Amino acid sequence: MNKRTFLKLSSAVMASRFVSPLFAWMPTEKLTNWSGNLEYSSQQLTQGTSLEQVQDFVGKHEKFKVLGTRHCFNNIADSKDELLSLRQMDQVVSVDVKAKTVTVESGSSYGKLAPYLDSKGFALHNLASLPHISIAGACSTATHGSGEKNGNLSSAVAALEFINAAGDVVKLSRDKDGETFHGAVVGLGALGVITKVTLDIQPTYAMKQWVYENLSLAQFKEHFDAIEASAYSISLFTDWQNQQFSEVWIKSRTEPGHEFSAPKDFYGSKPATKNLHPIVELSAENCTEQLGVPGPWYERLPHFRMGFTPSAGKELQSEFFVPRQNAVDAILAVERLRDQITPHLMISEIRTIAADHLWMSPAYKQPCVAIHFTWKQDWPNVSKLLPVIEKELAPYKARPHWGKLFTISPATLKQIYTKMPDFIELAKKYDPKGKFRNDFLNRNIFG
Ligand SMILES: Cc1cc2nc3c(=O)[nH]c(=O)nc-3n(C[C@H](O)[C@H](O)[C@H](O)COP(=O)(O)OP(=O)(O)OC[C@H]3O[C@@H](n4cnc5c(N)ncnc54)[C@H](O)[C@@H]3O)c2cc1C
């Protein structure tokens, strides 16, 4: 099936107005992840409503997993036993103006928190391509946006509250708990049930977004550093054909000193004359405003608007992080696989992420470039292609995204995530008997 036919069918299935599937879920329907490629192994879903009730749940269950907004593509959130959702625990607890932090219940999504913060005169440093995801789920998997000076979303976590396997409330903070805190933030759901997250905030800011079309691979190779440095956040989209990036998304803060000059020619690419979707065949209705129109940070940092279906809907995703110094070579290596990749692809995206100190983050102590693939929902073919891409990227020390699809072996993961032995010890401290473990964690971390 060609891409145009596939996308037509997919978008017919996913009407563009978006109803949160968790709340649309009825006990008669099978509980799946957001894209529908994974049916959870347990259909026993309990809603957490208070700290005490969640503690009681932890005490009464031998094994379970917490679900966020279910946007992961692999089985990291799956359980054969029980599932717990904290979506009803989504209130802002406090804003500490002096410490410049907000504390929020972990079931909140960025889409819910962001307008509240903005109304109080504050902002977050960055957002992912979609605001729909839960804060706890996103931070647990090192979810990221773009911008060479911007760490991933978990790098904004200043403190965490979670319930460990014994049912005790554990509080960790960046200021007081040093390395333990660095180990716990990207916790892959293995340490406990996160109930509150404290995030760094800053004064609110406005942004503008532009899209440029058709940046050549030759210009990209020649000017990679300058392109990435040209604005607060840069995303490059390609289907790997024709030696070009079909779209360059440029997100710029409007404060003096930050502004992007929006030239008529950006390294040979030209400004789009209407709003575009990253997959050019799809309507831009679900995308954030472009064409340099100013707006609040939370309506420009994500590519997709809250209240609408993000991305394409019926899809799969994979993503690999390479150390920044390997980026151009790694991207050229993927480009050489274009004729194998493109038939199964909707779109690829290239983003930059600043280094952080979080043990299980792909950007642990190294600035990264992320090479992302939105695939057609065709696992038999994608599963054959992933090892080919992973082999090509292996010399560049590529690390996979924890929430997306990969086939890299557990032995290789142990080599490339150098803090994994410490992370295993930390997880055992809070969960000695494996209450929070599932097949994903047993295979990739504890195996
Ligand atoms: C359309 C689309 C676009 C995306 N764009 C991006 C992007 O721009 N950048 C990026 O990096 N990723 C992106 N992702 C991936 C995705 O956002 C992340 O992987 C993220 O984890 C999803 O959060 P969630 O709440 O849905 O997590 P879930 O899938 O529900 O859970 C993820 C993990 O977090 C754990 N967890 C959740 N809540 C808790 C809690 N309260 N306590 C303990 N553990 C918890 C779960 O047990 C599981 O281990 C995208 C996904 C989709 C579908």
Side-chain angles (χ1 to χ4, degrees):
M1 195 188 306
N2 71 27
K3 186 159 88 172
R4 191 171 289 274
T5 317
F6 182 88
L7 290 170
K8 260 192 175 166
L9 288 174
S10 309
S11 44
V13 174
M14 300 289 289
S16 65
R17 260 289 170 192
F18 175 78
V19 183
S20 167
L22 187 59
F23 297 110
W25 177 74
M26 303 300 276
T28 49
E29 292 172 16
K30 289 288 181 192
L31 183 62
T32 68
N33 66 347
W34 171 82
S35 75
N37 69 301
L38 175 84
E39 187 180 304
Y40 292 112
S41 311
S42 168
Q43 299 290 311
Q44 296 295 325
L45 177 68
T46 301
Q47 295 290 341
T49 50
S50 70
L51 185 70
E52 296 70 29
Q53 183 239 3
V54 173
Q55 275 183 294
D56 185 55
F57 182 93
V58 173
K60 287 190 176 136
H61 290 84
E62 247 174 58
K63 253 184 177 320
F64 70 93
K65 289 304 294 176
V66 190
L67 287 181
T69 43
R70 301 183 286 128
H71 283 83
C72 286
F73 290 85
N74 58 28
N75 59 346
I76 189 169
D78 195 18
S79 171
K80 293 194 175 108
D81 303 278
E82 295 268 340
L83 294 161
L84 174 69
S85 167
L86 269 56
R87 290 309 310 282
Q88 291 178 25
M89 295 171 65
D90 65 352
Q91 298 302 302
V92 173
V93 179
S94 60
V95 175
D96 185 334
V97 175
K98 205 163 151 230
K100 294 208 189 72
T101 57
V102 59
T103 299
V104 63
E105 288 181 325
S106 69
S108 180
S109 66
Y110 285 97
K112 175 153 192 205
L113 175 65
Y116 170 86
L117 275 182
D118 190 58
S119 74
K120 301 284 172 205
F122 293 105
L124 299 170
H125 80 295
N126 210 358
L127 291 169
S129 69
L130 75 175
H132 311 64
I133 48 179
S134 83
I135 295 171
C139 293
S140 297
T141 58
T143 292
H144 63 96
S146 192
E148 61 179 10
K149 298 205 172 112
N150 300 324
N152 63 35
L153 304 189
S154 48
S155 70
V157 177
L160 274 183
E161 176 191 279
F162 64 90
I163 301 172
N164 67 14
D168 303 324
V169 176
V170 180
K171 294 183 184 196
L172 297 177
S173 74
R174 189 196 285 143
D175 288 347
K176 294 195 187 120
D177 297 289
E179 279 301 285
T180 302
F181 175 77
H182 289 147
V185 175
V186 181
L188 312 179
L191 272 56
V193 183
I194 301 166
T195 42
K196 291 194 191 87
V197 184
T198 301
L199 299 172
D200 295 332
I201 53 176
Q202 54 182 275
T204 191
Y205 51 91
M207 295 192 84
K208 293 180 185 173
Q209 175 168 249
W210 290 267
V211 174
Y212 282 73
E213 292 187 272
N214 304 331
L215 174 81
S216 74
L217 190 64
Q219 288 280 348
F220 168 80
K221 255 168 35 187
E222 186 88 358
H223 302 289
F224 172 70
D225 284 327
I227 289 169
E228 295 299 344
S230 59
Y232 191 71
S233 163
I234 305 282
S235 290
L236 299 144
F237 291 93
T238 182
D239 65 3
W240 303 102
Q241 291 298 311
N242 306 319
Q243 303 246 310
Q244 67 175 11
F245 294 92
S246 48
E247 295 178 23
V248 183
W249 286 47
I250 298 178
K251 299 170 193 278
S252 168
R253 292 173 69 139
T254 57
E255 303 106 289
H258 280 283
E259 259 202 294
F260 175 69
S261 64
K264 292 219 158 53
D265 182 298
F266 182 70
Y267 299 98
S269 65
K270 300 286 181 254
T273 52
K274 57 177 188 180
N275 282 351
L276 292 178
H277 190 287
I279 303 170
V280 82
E281 291 91 344
L282 291 185
S283 154
E285 189 198 12
N286 60 355
C287 296
T288 48
E289 187 67 44
Q290 301 154 31
L291 303 167
V293 179
W297 56 280
Y298 66 91
E299 289 181 355
R300 295 295 178 275
L301 283 170
H303 304 330
F304 302 107
R305 292 159 68 191
M306 195 67 188
F308 288 78
T309 302
S311 195
K314 196 168 159 42
E315 63 192 53
L316 303 175
Q317 293 188 10
S318 305
E319 191 164 32
F320 301 97
F321 300 80
V322 293
R324 162 102 188 209
Q325 70 272 18
N326 296 341
V328 173
D329 289 341
I331 288 163
L332 294 178
V334 175
E335 199 268 340
R336 287 193 290 275
L337 299 174
R338 61 188 173 274
D339 291 340
Q340 290 178 69
I341 291 174
T342 309
H344 308 292
L345 187 79
M346 291 193 187
I347 200 71
S348 270
E349 181 178 11
I350 310 292
R351 287 176 281 184
T352 47
I353 303 109
D356 59 49
H357 297 282
L358 307 171
W359 293 359
M360 297 305 280
S361 162
Y364 176 67
K365 294 200 174 163
Q366 62 181 26
C368 281
V369 170
I371 309 173
H372 164 89
F373 303 84
T374 300
W375 303 110
K376 295 174 190 170
Q377 207 172 81
D378 175 9
W379 181 237
N381 276 311
V382 172
S383 63
K384 282 187 210 126
L385 196 49
L386 283 177
V388 179
I389 296 171
E390 288 163 357
K391 189 170 169 223
E392 208 60 34
L393 288 177
Y396 307 107
K397 305 213 171 338
R399 296 170 170 182
H401 191 304
W402 290 116
K404 302 187 182 180
L405 295 162
F406 61 88
T407 63
I408 293 176
S409 74
T412 306
L413 288 176
K414 282 200 168 62
Q415 284 165 16
I416 52 184
Y417 281 93
T418 52
K419 291 296 276 183
M420 201 182 287
D422 299 309
F423 180 73
I424 291 171
E425 285 313 304
L426 189 67
K428 284 182 179 164
K429 176 176 157 192
Y430 294 115
D431 181 19
K433 293 191 184 146
K435 183 173 285 206
F436 306 120
R437 288 184 213 161
N438 60 3
D439 285 354
F440 179 94
L441 292 173
N442 286 334
R443 174 181 158 77
N444 293 303
I445 308 293
F446 298 98

